[in-house]
Amino acid sequence: MDYYDGGPLQHVGDLPAMGASRYGEKTAFVSAAFGKELSYRELNAEANRAANVLTEHGVSPGDRVGLFVPNTLQFPVAYFGAIKAGAVPIPLNLRMDPGTLSFVLSDADVECLIGTPLLADDVRGLAEAGDVGTTFIPGVSDDGIVNYSHALKEASPEFDRPEREYGDVACQPYTSGTTGDPKGVLLTHENLLSTVESYDKGGLAVDPEDSLLLVLPLFHIFALNALMGTFLYTGASMVMLPRPEAEPMLNSIESHGITKFAGVPAMYTTMYREYREQPEKYDLSTLEDANCAAAPLAESTRKEIEAAWNVPVYEGWGMTETAPAGTVEPARGVRKAAGCVGPAVPNVELAIADPDSREFRVGPEDLEPAGMADPQVDFEDEGSVTGEIAIRGPNVFEGYFERPEKNEQVFDEAGWFYTEDIARVDSDGYFWMVDRADDMIIAGGENIYPAEVEDALYAHPKVAEAAVVGAPHEVKGEAPVAFVVLEEGAEVDEKALRRFTLDHVATYAHPREVFFVDELPRSATQKTQRFKLEDEAHERLGGPLEPTGEEL
C-alpha cells in the first residue's frame, strides 16, 4: 500500500484523508442528477463531520450503522464517516423487499440508520420495522428523526478517529439472499485495502486523469470497493448516477468526458438498444474501455458494442466475500471471447477444485509462470480443468456474521474459501465462468449449466435476453426451461427456437419449454433472479414436464 501519515495505509477511513492531502481541490465526485460536486478536500471534511455527528449520538467503535442511500454525494460521506468513527457500515440494498431489509437490520443489530431524503417515507418505515434507535435523514426532523444535513453543518470538519486494527471489521455488506436469508459478510480494513491495491497494481487500469461513470449501486461490493476505493486511491474522478437508465448514462459519457464505464449485461443491453436507434445522437469518443461485471455478456452484444463504440469491453470475476478481488481480463493485450474473466489479480491465489471432494484439479502452483511453462495439467481436457473456484489471500473475508456452521462449510483448514462458482481455466491461466454450482440442473444424471443453454439461445439473432432454470420432469427428475426476451418487433416460433438450440447443446441440455416474456426479473445489481423464474415456471407448467421427441 501507499504510505500515508508516516506508514502504509491500513485504515479505510484514511483513504479520504490521503486523497485530501494529495489531490486537494481536485474533483472526487460529481452528482450528475443534481449538478453538485465534492472535491477530495471536501470529501474528507464532510466525512469528518459525519463521524462527529455519529459519535455525538452515541455511536461507538464496532457499532453497526445502516446506509439506505442511492448513488448520491450523501453515500461516500456517510460511508467514510461511519468508518472514521470506528463503526461498521451496513450498505443496504434499496431494491430489497421491506421484510428482507428488516431482517438485515435485525440480524446486524443496527442501532443507527442514515437514509436518503429521496425515500424519506421508506426510511421511516424501515427504521420502525427494524426497531432502529437513531435515524438520520437530511432535511427531516419530525417524528424523532435527526435532521442529518443540519447536524452535519453544525459539526466540526476535524475528527480525531479512534484506533482500529488492520484486521478489524470495517464493513459488513450482505449477500443478495437468492438462496435463503441474506448473510452478513465481515470485511476487514485489510480485506478492503488489499483489494484496492490488487486492482491498482493491475486489475484495473486507472490513472488520475480518468473519470468513471459510477452507476452500479454502491451497496454492491464491486462499486463500493473495486470502483470507489480504487478510483479514490488513484486520485481519479467519479460521476454518479442513481439509476441505470440508458439515455442519462449515454448523455453523461459525453457531457462529462467519461473515460471508464462499468456495468452489468442488462445495462449494456439497454444502452446499446438506445444507441443503435440513434447513433448520431451520442458522442462516446472519450470512452477508453468498459468493464462488465456480475454476469457474462453475450458474445454478439460485446462484439457489436466494441465495434460501435470503439472500446474494449472486458470482464472479471469476484464476490462480496472477496471484497471483490478475483480475476480481471486485461482491457488490452491478450483478449479472448466473452465469458473469459481473465487471470488472477495480484496478491490472490486461485485453484480449481472438485466440487465434492475439494481435491485440487488445478492448484495455484499450476498457474504460476513455472507451472505454466512445464504444465502438469492437461489443459486440453476441459473436464480436468473445470471445477469449483477456491480462493485464498488477504482480500478474503473473515467469515459470515454469526454463521459459524456456514463458515465451517466454506473454509478449509488451510484458509481456502470455496466459492460454489464453477469455472474452467485455460493454458494461459485465464478463467472462464461456467455457472454457479447451486444453479446446476441435473437431468437424468447429466449435469447442465444454465449458462451453456443461454449461450445457445443468444446465438439466435432474434433473442435479446435469455435465462434458463430447472423444472420438475417426470423421467429426468428435472430439465431445463427457458425464459426469453425477443428483440423489439421480432417474432419466432417456440418450437423452432427449441430445435435451434439442439444445434448448439447436447440433446439432454435443450430447453423443454420456452416462455416468451417482456423482461426478466432482476436484482438491484441487475443479476437475473432465477428463483423467481423457477417459481413462475412451476406456476406455468402446473406439473412435471413430460418426455418430448427431442429427448429420444
Side-chain angles (χ1 to χ4, degrees), residues 10-12 161-170 188-190:
Q10 293 194 333
H11 192 293
V12 177
R161 67 164 178 80
E163 287 299 318
R164 300 290 281 168
E165 297 297 324
Y166 200 32
D168 285 342
V169 175
T188 66
H189 292 272
E190 182 180 18

Side-chain angles (χ1 to χ4, degrees), residues 248-262:
M249 288 191 289
L250 292 166
N251 285 328
S252 292
I253 292 173
E254 178 179 357
S255 60
H256 294 280
I258 297 296
T259 61
K260 307 287 184 181
F261 180 78

Side-chain angles (χ1 to χ4, degrees), residues 273-359:
R273 282 180 181 172
E274 169 64 24
Y275 177 86
R276 188 176 55 192
E277 294 299 316
Q278 306 179 80
E280 71 286 346
K281 182 179 176 181
Y282 302 105
D283 180 1
L284 309 183
S285 60
T286 60
L287 196 62
E288 296 176 357
D289 55 61
N291 175 274
C292 185
L297 184 65
E299 176 74 9
S300 58
T301 303
R302 171 172 158 167
K303 287 182 177 179
E304 288 174 355
I305 289 175
E306 289 186 328
W309 297 356
N310 193 32
V311 296
V313 179
Y314 63 101
E315 300 180 57
W317 168 86
M319 304 175 70
T320 304
E321 291 89 337
T322 66
T327 70
V328 175
E329 181 188 17
R332 292 166 180 80
V334 178
R335 302 295 314 289
K336 303 200 177 190
C340 177
V341 294
V345 299
N347 303 326
V348 169
E349 291 183 284
L350 292 177
I352 293 290
D354 182 298
D356 297 318
S357 69
R358 289 188 171 175
E359 179 181 350

Side-chain angles (χ1 to χ4, degrees), residues 92-96 176 178 215-220 242-244 264 266-267 294 521-529 532:
L92 297 169
N93 186 329
L94 273 64
R95 294 189 182 178
M96 273 185 177
S176 58
T178 55
V215 65
L216 284 172
L218 282 162
F219 52 74
H220 183 273
R243 289 181 296 275
V264 295
M267 291 183 189
R522 297 190 182 278
S523 68
T525 53
Q526 299 298 300
K527 289 184 179 180
T528 302
Q529 295 176 309
K532 290 186 177 180

